[in-house]
Amino acid sequence: MKISTAWLKEYIDIDMSPEELGDVLTNIGLEVEGMEVFESVKGGLEGCVIGQVKTCRKHPNADKLSLCTVDIGGDENLNIICGAPNVRGGQKVVVATLGTTLYQGENSLTLKKVKIRGEVSEGMICAEDEIGLGDTHKGIMVLDDSAEPGTPAREYFKLSTDTIYE
């Protein structure tokens, strides 16, 4: 039999880690043989935040790239090189910060600070397919004006994570 933490929380108040709950279930006679984490989006958008493109100008050494400065709610803006044709100043966007791992099917990409044609990029402005929220790759995902820079993307999109016990 499989049960989920989310399902159990509909009936009882649980304030413990998944491992502790697994131990409690086993101790009351419901032996837990295994646990697995279910994420509505693989990786849970860990490291992705809402940003606002402050400036956007043509890359001096590439026809199809833009140099953007992006506010992600911190003390300093990030310099990000973007190849999307629809990127503009003022837009609210999803930004994958340095160290973030993005998943597309079985493939993954961990972002590092890179230099592209002589300019530094400190993150990535994302399209919906790059973060697992759809199939579109026509350009970056442009969010509603009410989105607040610095908000974790996980919160903005109301993603869920659950632990499934067997």
Side-chain angles (χ1 to χ4, degrees):
M1 171 174 75
K2 291 186 177 189
I3 59 173
S4 78
T5 303
W7 180 78
L8 287 172
K9 285 182 178 182
E10 289 180 20
Y11 298 98
I12 55 177
D13 186 27
I14 300 171
D15 187 27
M16 58 185 78
S17 74
E19 292 77 16
E20 291 171 322
L21 179 57
D23 290 342
V24 168
L25 291 170
T26 297
N27 290 336
I28 63 170
L30 301 170
E31 185 177 345
V32 174
E33 292 183 14
M35 297 178 355
E36 73 179 271
V37 175
F38 169 81
E39 298 174 309
S40 54
V41 172
K42 189 172 181 176
L45 300 182
E46 190 68 35
C48 293
V49 296
I50 305 305
Q52 181 172 15
V53 179
K54 295 307 227 177
T55 65
C56 181
R57 62 186 174 90
K58 186 179 173 315
H59 190 296
N61 302 315
D63 292 336
K64 296 183 181 183
L65 297 176
S66 298
L67 296 176
C68 303
T69 55
V70 183
D71 173 10
I72 61 165
D75 293 335
E76 295 183 22
N77 293 335
L78 298 180
N79 294 309
I80 298 178
I81 296 173
C82 184
N86 66 328
V87 66
R88 306 277 182 275
Q91 293 173 324
K92 303 285 180 82
V93 296
V94 177
V95 176
T97 58
L98 298 178
T100 299
T101 300
L102 300 176
Y103 301 90
Q104 286 184 313
E106 297 302 314
N107 299 321
S108 65
L109 167 72
T110 301
L111 295 179
K112 300 175 186 173
K113 190 175 191 176
V114 296
K115 213 175 217 187
I116 301 173
R117 298 205 176 183
E119 299 291 336
V120 173
S121 187
E122 303 169 305
M124 181 171 139
I125 302 172
C126 301
E128 66 180 44
D129 69 324
E130 293 168 328
I131 56 175
L133 292 177
D135 298 324
T136 301
H137 193 80
K138 293 180 181 176
I140 59 167
M141 179 184 286
V142 179
L143 306 175
D144 186 80
D145 284 339
S146 65
E148 285 294 317
T151 303
R154 164 185 211 87
E155 285 178 26
Y156 180 82
F157 292 108
K158 297 176 178 43
L159 296 186
S160 63
T161 300
D162 197 2
T163 301
I164 311 297
Y165 300 93
E166 183 171 350

